[in-house]
């Protein structure tokens, strides 16, 4: 085990192979291969999106235009409003996007555990009636612990429906392992986790033994070589592409993966193959 | 492929390298940059940041002596403690060494940018050498410092480096009100940020940077490569603006 950790942290030369992903990205061309972004937060098209900072656009149509430019085929939408103050209003916005763009948008319903009855109704309505194919939880913004009792029905729902749960938490690998074991039919996508891996190598070593857990790389503290370091320990099947745009930038993370020191086949897995079946695509 | 001039890169050993490591020689850095179309770099030495500018600046001169594509930039400190030359002397040293860019890391190296600390230094650089000001966060004190310094020294060209996301509400009025303020885009990971700033302020005061060796070059490269701006604006940000800025140096 110690040897694995040492190799994992040892600096290595960056070879930068030029494959289809890198070749497209270096020119700013849309990626020609199938790409899924598992992490996106649209706002309304009114031009007033960022609740704590400004960015240009951010509405559904704007995010689709960015996808056209980058070549991202499908994005998993959970509304910015939903992970903030009003999850019902936010889920309704995403329902509209799913109806209007069924081939480009996968809806992820957001339950706020501080409103447990409403949260349950929302999951049933959005998933059973409106075709959402995932759940997004934000225990940080909603200030509710992931192991709190009001999240249990959410995990049970995901387990019953075999749904992916995109989770913005920085809980311990032990907590993730416990959830993955308790809800084996759910698929946990640990957001921002590949950046966290640099600080906590236990995460990758935990994830590699959990077939129903994936990690994505959206975040600010992305350090050079961290995706490569993560997959060397966790295995390529554990990584999926997620950008958190427009809160962050889709192109930023796209470049991170496209130019990573990985093979074309490995990038293909991160960009789509690892998660495509989970999303029913 | 876009031709890039990297305004923010470093070579040398670092105490806490990223998983991909550091660039221990100029050749390693240049080789890595070349794969992304970076044909020139305005470089500093990591030991100037992590040990002392006096050490790192000297090492840089040695490290890039045989390298045509890397241009030197030196780090500076206040002179009051006797650990760094007085401003006029430092400017003479810059001129002698042909160094056309100076960097400061006031947050990391623990000094203030108030006039009673750095006023003479800024005055000595003004109109002669551009200043690359590395920040940890564009918070209220830092933004007010930038505003005050740029107003007090209108001929000092100031490039803010290492910005993060979520800066538009502060950076936009700063850039609009301060014609001597520039933005290095290496950490600017805001959704459509380059496009926004090009529209709101103009593309002529943004310069591309990578923040190597700590950050993956593919990230800021993609921000610029995919930005919805004209080809001329993209080329300007990629290299031309930095060329123009460095050409303002007095030597």
């Amino acid at each position: 085990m110690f040897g694995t950790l040492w190799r994992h942290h040892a600096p290595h030369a960056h070879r930068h192979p030029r494959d289809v992903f890198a070749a497209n990205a270096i020119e700013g061309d849309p990626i020609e291969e199938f790409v899924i972004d598992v992490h996106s937060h649209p706002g309304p098209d009114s031009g007033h999106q960022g609740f704590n900072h400004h960015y240009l656009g951010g509405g559904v149509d704007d995010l689709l235009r960015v996808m056209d430019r980058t070549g991202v085929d499908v994005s998993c939408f959970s509304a910015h409003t939903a992970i903030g103050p009003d999850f019902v209003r936010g889920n309704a916005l995403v329902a509209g996007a799913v109806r209007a763009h069924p081939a480009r948008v996968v809806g992820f319903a957001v339950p706020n555990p501080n409103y447990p009855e409403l949260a349950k109704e929302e999951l049933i309505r959005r998933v059973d009636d409106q075709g959402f194919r995932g759940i997004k939880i934000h225990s940080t913004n909603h200030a509710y612990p992931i192991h709190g009792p009001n999240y249990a029905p959410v995990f049970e729902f995901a387990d019953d429906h075999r749904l992916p749960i995109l989770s913005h938490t920085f809980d311990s690998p032990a907590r993730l392992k416990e959830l993955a074991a308790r809800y084996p039919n759910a698929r946990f996508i640990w957001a921002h986790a590949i950046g966290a891996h640099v600080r906590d190598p236990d995460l990758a070593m935990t994830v590699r033994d959990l077939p129903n857990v994936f990690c994505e790389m959206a975040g600010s503290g992305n350090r050079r070589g961290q995706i490569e370091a993560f997959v060397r320990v966790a295995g390529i099947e554990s990584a999926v592409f997620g950008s958190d745009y427009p809160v962050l930038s889709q192109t930023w993370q796209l470049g991170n993966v496209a130019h990573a020191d990985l093979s074309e086949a490995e990038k293909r897995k991160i960009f789509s193959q690892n998660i495509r079946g989970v999303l029913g695509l | 492929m876009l031709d890039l001039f990297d305004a923010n890169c470093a070579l040398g050993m670092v105490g806490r390298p990223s998983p991909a490591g550091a660039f221990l020689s100029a050749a390693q850095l240049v080789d890595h940059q070349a794969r992304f179309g970076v044909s020139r770099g305005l470089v500093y030495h990591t030991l100037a940041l992590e040990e002392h500018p006096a050490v790192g600046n000297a090492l840089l001169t040695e490290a890039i002596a045989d390298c045509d594509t890397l241009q030197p930039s030196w780090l500076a400190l206040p002179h009051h403690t006797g650990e760094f030359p007085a401003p006029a002397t430092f400017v003479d040293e810059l001129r002698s060494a042909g160094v056309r860019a100076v960097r400061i890391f006031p947050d990391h190296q623990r000094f203030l940018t108030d006039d009673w600390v750095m006023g003479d230094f800024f005055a000595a650089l003004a109109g002669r050498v551009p200043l690359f000001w590395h920040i940890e966060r564009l918070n209220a004190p830092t933004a007010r410092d930038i505003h005050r310094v740029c107003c007090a020294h209108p001929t000092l060209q100031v490039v803010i480096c290492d910005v993060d996301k979520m800066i538009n509400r502060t950076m936009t009025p700063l850039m609009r009100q301060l014609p001597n303020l520039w933005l290095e885009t290496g950490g600017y990971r805001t959704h459509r940020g380059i496009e926004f700033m090009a529209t709101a302020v103009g593309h002529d005061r943004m310069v591309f940077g990578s923040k190597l060796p700590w950050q993956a070059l593919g990230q800021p490269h993609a921000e610029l490569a995919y930005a919805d701006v004209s080809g001329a604006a993209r080329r300007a940000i990629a290299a031309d603006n930095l060329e123009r800025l460095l050409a303002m140096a007095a030597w």
Side-chain angles (χ1 to χ4, degrees):
Chain A
M1 185 175 104
F2 187 77
T4 306
L5 270 176
W6 185 88
R7 282 196 302 278
H8 157 57
H9 281 293
H12 65 284
H14 189 112
R15 294 192 306 276
H16 194 277
R18 184 58 58 84
D19 51 53
V20 64
F21 300 103
N24 289 156
I26 203 80
E27 299 296 344
D29 291 335
I31 303 293
E32 295 166 35
E33 300 254 345
F34 197 76
V35 177
I36 301 167
D37 186 340
V38 300
H39 193 165
S40 169
H41 299 303
D45 280 312
S46 60
H48 306 287
Q49 280 80 36
F51 66 87
N52 62 356
H53 71 292
H54 167 270
Y55 44 78
L56 201 58
V60 169
D61 291 343
D62 174 63
L63 298 198
L64 288 164
R65 278 194 296 273
V66 170
M67 289 163 65
D68 291 341
R69 209 160 65 238
T70 56
V72 171
D73 296 279
V74 174
S75 284
C76 299
F77 278 15
S78 51
H80 205 179
T81 307
I83 60 169
D86 191 335
F87 68 113
V88 178
R89 179 184 167 91
N91 289 337
L93 182 145
V94 171
V98 170
R99 272 197 307 275
H101 309 283
R104 309 292 306 276
V105 174
V106 169
F108 272 42
V110 179
N112 185 334
N114 296 299
Y115 306 88
E117 287 307 315
L118 259 181
K120 191 176 173 186
E121 286 172 24
E122 272 295 290
L123 287 181
I124 293 169
R125 175 164 39 154
R126 303 305 177 188
V127 173
D128 289 346
D129 301 342
Q130 296 179 341
F132 282 45
R133 282 182 265 175
I135 295 170
K136 162 75 180 181
I137 60 173
H138 205 304
S139 65
T140 307
N141 280 1
H142 290 153
Y144 191 89
I146 195 167
H147 54 285
N150 291 356
Y151 266 131
V154 174
F155 296 136
E156 286 162 12
F157 187 90
D159 197 53
D160 289 345
H161 289 71
R162 308 182 76 83
L163 293 177
I165 301 175
L166 177 64
S167 172
H168 176 111
T169 77
F170 294 98
D171 280 78
S172 68
R175 182 82 68 197
L176 175 59
K177 186 176 182 179
E178 180 191 324
L179 288 170
R182 190 182 303 165
Y183 306 103
N185 297 318
R187 302 288 183 269
F188 292 88
I189 306 171
W190 226 233
H192 313 295
I194 290 179
H197 156 72
V198 174
R199 297 186 298 275
D200 186 356
D202 285 352
L203 179 65
M205 300 185 72
T206 302
V207 165
R208 68 181 177 184
D209 297 322
L210 301 174
N212 60 333
V213 174
F214 305 91
C215 292
E216 55 95 312
M217 68 290 295
S220 299
N222 290 161
R223 305 182 71 199
R224 196 167 66 92
Q226 72 176 24
I227 294 176
E228 299 90 322
F230 175 83
V231 301
R232 273 200 298 277
V233 178
I236 193 69
E237 285 75 16
S238 299
V240 295
F241 170 61
S243 71
D244 199 3
Y245 87 121
V247 178
L248 302 173
S249 172
Q250 184 178 72
T251 49
W252 184 267
Q253 289 308 337
L254 190 88
N256 200 11
V257 179
H259 292 295
D261 186 11
L262 299 170
S263 71
E264 184 172 294
E266 288 172 319
K267 293 177 189 177
R268 192 170 289 117
K269 287 187 175 185
I270 293 176
F271 271 129
S272 67
Q273 286 179 345
N274 286 343
I275 202 69
R276 195 168 182 168
V278 172
L279 296 171
L281 297 170
Chain B
M1 191 191 300
L2 200 56
D3 176 49
L4 293 154
F5 189 173
D6 186 349
N8 185 8
C9 53
L11 63 82
M13 194 172 281
V14 297
R16 287 180 284 181
S18 69
F23 300 104
L24 304 187
S25 70
Q28 284 179 5
L29 174 61
V30 168
D31 177 59
H32 183 75
Q33 290 175 316
R35 296 168 199 181
F36 292 84
V38 177
S39 61
R40 290 148 292 164
L42 185 66
V43 67
Y44 63 99
H45 200 285
T46 54
L47 264 64
L49 174 63
E50 297 199 354
E51 186 175 334
H52 195 282
V55 174
N57 293 344
L59 285 172
L60 179 69
T61 304
E62 222 174 278
I64 65 171
D66 298 325
C67 182
D68 294 335
T69 58
L70 295 177
Q71 296 189 28
S73 56
W74 280 1
L75 268 66
L77 289 176
H79 67 285
H80 311 286
T81 51
E83 63 185 318
F84 201 77
T89 307
F90 181 59
V91 168
D92 286 343
E93 290 178 3
L94 292 170
R95 183 185 290 112
S96 299
V99 176
R100 296 189 298 160
V102 171
R103 298 179 189 271
I104 57 170
F105 289 76
D107 301 312
H108 187 84
Q109 298 186 318
R110 295 194 176 92
F111 61 88
L112 301 180
T113 54
D114 292 71
D115 266 2
W116 51 273
V117 180
M118 295 294 281
D120 292 347
F121 172 80
F122 294 140
L125 292 190
R128 296 188 179 90
V129 182
L131 176 71
F132 290 72
W133 181 337
H134 294 250
I135 64 171
E136 283 193 357
R137 195 180 178 88
L138 192 63
N139 54 19
T142 299
R144 288 177 187 135
D145 284 348
I146 293 167
H147 188 267
R148 181 179 40 73
V149 169
C150 286
C151 286
H153 305 278
T155 59
L156 177 65
Q157 302 302 315
V158 176
V159 184
I160 300 302
C161 300
D162 299 343
V163 299
D164 203 338
K165 59 189 184 297
M166 304 184 181
I167 62 167
N168 284 359
R169 288 176 183 160
T170 301
M171 199 67 198
T172 307
L174 280 175
M175 294 282 284
R176 278 183 172 158
Q177 291 170 32
L178 303 168
N180 54 332
L181 185 63
W182 302 59
L183 173 65
E184 182 262 313
T185 64
Y188 188 36
R189 62 202 76 185
T190 297
H191 173 72
R192 296 175 65 194
I194 289 174
E195 180 187 341
F196 168 74
M197 208 54 85
T199 306
V201 176
H203 64 257
D204 57 341
R205 283 185 287 137
M206 281 189 278
V207 297
F208 174 82
S210 68
K211 209 175 174 180
L212 285 171
W214 294 279
Q215 183 171 271
L217 213 166
Q219 298 174 124
H221 184 283
E223 278 303 289
L224 182 56
Y226 284 105
D228 192 8
V229 295
S230 70
R234 199 183 323 277
R235 287 190 295 276
I237 298 165
D240 298 350
N241 290 343
L242 182 56
E243 290 278 17
R244 182 165 51 85
L245 177 65
L246 295 177
M248 294 178 192
W251 46 85

